[in-house]
Amino acid sequence: MDNDPQRHARVPRDFESLRSTIIERKASMPKRLAQVAAFALGNPDEIAFGTTASIAAASDVQPSTLVRLAHHLGYEGFSDLQSIFRERLRDRTLSYEERLVTLEQASGDDEDANLLSGFIAAASQSVNRLAATVQSDTFTKAVDILAAAETIYLIAKRRSYPLTAHMTYAFSKLNIRHQIVASPNGVDPEMVQFATPKDAAIAASFSPYAADSLSQSQELADRGVPIIAITDSAFSPLAACATHWFEVAEADFAGFRSLSASMALTMALPVAIAERRRKRQHAKAGKAKME
């Protein structure tokens, strides 16, 4: 038993502090500890509710790895670490809403109505969670970069593809030059080769991450193209190569994950970019008149 009071004072006692500590230490963590830490941040409810055996199975590690992670972070044991995740549940503003949704789903025999209400609840939870966690300064910095770009490349595959499909529509209507990297004839790698540091990219991918999205984003980042990423964890490979990134934790219903919060973000970005460009053009016009 470690009785060092200074060491215990440094141990994170709330979820946000724990999250920050994990992100700060992720690069130096052993592979297995980083693996279970990434799972914990991506699935905090499962950590709160699960047993050591179920969590270890879900994160594909041995139960002893959970104890090792807890000790690595300064906790007395895994139950001590798990208490932070359980405390998070008690502190969440959505907890009562979620309980009501659970009760509604448990009552009545109308399966169709329960199915619909379940998906609506997941969408609502996702949007509310994004509203509570998104950082406005990150959004401002991302808009600054994208508004200055000559061409905005849009990268997303599989479940994330609807996000770039909508942005293609919005950018077209707003007269913003863009290129969606989604060719039907398989020339995506050649398409991204045209990007330069004067351009920028918006990339979206969620676990399990699309390999093509990751490789294309990394290639652009290696060539100095700024990347604005939308992903689900600080441990996401997409976050690692991004200039700025948004963490979007989508809720799910019956295993089907929502895209509502991500869609809200990708609806806001094109409008904000267009407005930033409009203001810059007006400022330049005003300056030219004064000269």
Side-chain angles (χ1 to χ4, degrees):
M1 180 74 67
D2 188 346
N3 295 317
D4 180 358
Q6 291 185 344
R7 176 177 174 274
H8 284 281
R10 295 192 296 269
V11 174
R13 299 316 309 183
D14 63 85
F15 182 76
E16 286 305 317
S17 298
L18 172 60
R19 179 180 176 279
S20 298
T21 298
I22 290 175
I23 293 173
E24 182 181 343
R25 298 185 187 180
K26 68 174 184 177
S28 61
M29 280 186 183
K31 181 180 179 180
R32 287 298 184 188
L33 297 192
Q35 177 180 330
V36 73
F39 178 84
L41 290 188
N43 304 272
D45 290 0
E46 192 157 343
I47 301 297
F49 289 122
T51 64
T52 303
S54 68
I55 295 168
S59 56
D60 196 26
V61 298
Q62 295 296 318
S64 60
T65 306
L66 302 180
V67 179
R68 287 173 50 215
L69 175 65
H71 289 162
H72 182 81
L73 295 171
Y75 295 95
E76 294 183 1
F78 180 69
S79 60
D80 188 21
L81 171 61
Q82 190 178 40
S83 69
I84 306 301
F85 290 85
R86 290 176 174 172
E87 193 66 33
R88 166 186 169 273
L89 290 179
R90 286 191 284 270
D91 291 342
R92 281 193 304 176
T93 58
L94 294 177
S95 59
Y96 287 101
E97 177 186 338
E98 289 169 347
R99 292 175 189 176
L100 289 174
V101 169
T102 302
L103 288 174
E104 291 170 1
Q105 292 172 351
S107 63
D109 298 324
D110 192 337
E111 294 183 1
D112 289 340
N114 288 340
L115 181 68
L116 178 59
S117 66
F119 278 105
I120 291 173
S124 176
Q125 290 169 22
S126 298
V127 172
N128 287 335
R129 186 178 297 162
L130 177 64
T133 58
V134 69
Q135 297 181 347
S136 59
D137 61 332
T138 300
F139 186 80
T140 298
K141 291 174 182 176
V143 172
D144 283 341
I145 289 173
L146 295 167
E150 291 184 354
T151 300
I152 299 174
Y153 286 78
L154 305 175
I155 300 173
K157 314 296 180 187
R158 301 202 304 255
R159 186 174 72 88
S160 305
Y161 177 77
L163 303 176
T164 49
H166 172 76
M167 284 191 286
T168 296
Y169 173 81
F171 283 141
S172 298
K173 291 294 186 180
L174 294 168
N175 296 317
I176 295 173
R177 183 183 296 173
H178 64 284
Q179 176 63 63
I180 185 169
V181 184
S183 60
N185 54 354
V187 294
D188 289 4
E190 288 78 8
M191 292 170 68
V192 298
Q193 289 180 4
F194 289 101
T196 75
K198 293 182 179 180
D199 301 318
I202 301 175
S205 190
F206 306 94
S207 179
Y209 307 103
D212 286 346
S213 294
L214 299 181
S215 62
Q216 290 160 11
S217 299
Q218 186 62 61
E219 180 182 347
L220 291 176
D222 290 343
R223 297 214 309 272
V225 179
I227 306 293
I228 305 302
I230 301 171
T231 190
D232 54 4
S233 169
F235 282 81
S236 164
L238 197 55
C241 68
T243 310
H244 299 292
W245 63 280
F246 297 95
E247 181 176 2
V248 183
E250 299 277 9
D252 73 88
F253 177 70
F256 294 93
R257 198 165 295 277
S258 170
L259 267 180
S260 302
S262 305
M263 187 61 74
L265 182 59
T266 54
M267 290 175 72
L269 280 170
V271 177
I273 293 165
E275 180 64 9
R276 185 66 50 83
R277 289 187 172 188
R278 186 185 68 83
K279 288 182 177 179
R280 288 178 179 175
Q281 289 172 356
H282 286 180
K284 288 181 180 179
K287 185 177 180 181
K289 287 182 180 179
M290 292 180 63
E291 293 175 349

